[in-house]
Every structure is written in structure tokens, then in C-alpha cells.
Amino acid sequence: MISAARFREIALSFEGASEVPHMDRAAFRTKRRIFATLPPDAATANLLLDRDLQEALCEAKPEAFAPVPGGWGRMGYTTVNLRVVSEPDLIGVLTEAHERASVPKKKPAAKRARQR
């Protein structure tokens, strides 16, 4: 089991990461966006992952990973069960989430074409 304190320690170990309030949750963010949230019960956390990685994790380890219900899940937001996930797996997915949140969003192709 990963405790809330350990989750915070790992999430805040990434370059430029900070903790901010986000509704009823603690959010961990880069300068650009949130990469993870932790609810008050600290039983789960939600992470921003690439859809391909999300699908692979949810298929390989369904006891530890699941898409967030609804549209958020279709965008790659993934719930991790902190009661069962291993620390190495958590560090790996937090690394991926942090990297994804650190990269600037791509502008839609239509806007880029109009700007030329």
C-alpha cells in the first residue's frame, strides 16, 4: 500500500512539481497542467496518461488501474488503486504523467494552417 505521504513525496520529487488544492483533492502540477490528484481518503489517485499507456495498464493490471469513468477516462485520465499498486509501478506512471503534463499542448492543425 502506498500512503498519502509517500504519494506526495514521489509526486513532488519531479522537477517543477508543486501541490495545489483542486476542489476536494490535492493536485500535483507542472507549470503547464495537473498530472495527478489525490482525494482526501488517499485510497486512489487520478493520473493523466497517454491513451495507449492507459489501455495497456488497465488490461495488464486491472486491480491497480482503471480509466476514470466518462469523458475524462476517454482523454487518458486513469485511476490508480494505491492499496494494491507497487511502488515501482506507481513511480513509472507518475513519471509518464509528469512528462505528459510538462509538454506544451499542440495547437490544432486548422489554426496552424490559418496562421501561415
Side-chain angles (χ1 to χ4, degrees):
M1 180 176 162
I2 308 292
S3 69
R6 182 65 182 139
F7 183 90
R8 277 188 172 83
E9 181 181 357
I10 297 167
L12 293 172
S13 70
F14 296 105
E15 183 179 339
S18 61
E19 182 176 350
V20 296
H22 181 70
M23 293 182 244
D24 66 334
R25 296 171 173 258
F28 301 89
R29 63 174 299 123
T30 66
K31 288 182 182 181
R32 300 197 178 279
R33 64 196 300 192
I34 292 171
F35 65 93
T37 61
L38 182 67
D41 70 3
T44 62
N46 290 338
L47 311 176
L48 172 61
L49 301 177
D50 174 84
R51 287 274 297 137
D52 291 337
L53 177 59
Q54 177 196 52
E55 288 177 20
L57 287 169
C58 293
E59 185 176 318
K61 299 183 179 189
E63 69 287 350
F65 299 98
V68 170
W72 291 105
R74 288 189 296 275
M75 291 188 292
Y77 288 89
T78 307
T79 299
V80 57
N81 183 338
L82 298 176
R83 294 179 179 144
V84 299
V85 71
S86 70
E87 187 165 316
D89 284 346
L90 179 64
I91 290 170
V93 295
L94 274 172
T95 300
E96 292 289 334
H98 177 266
E99 287 176 7
R100 182 173 171 138
S102 297
V103 174
K105 288 184 181 179
K106 293 181 181 177
K107 293 181 181 178
K111 286 185 180 180
R112 280 186 279 177
R114 279 189 254 139
Q115 291 174 350
R116 294 181 185 160

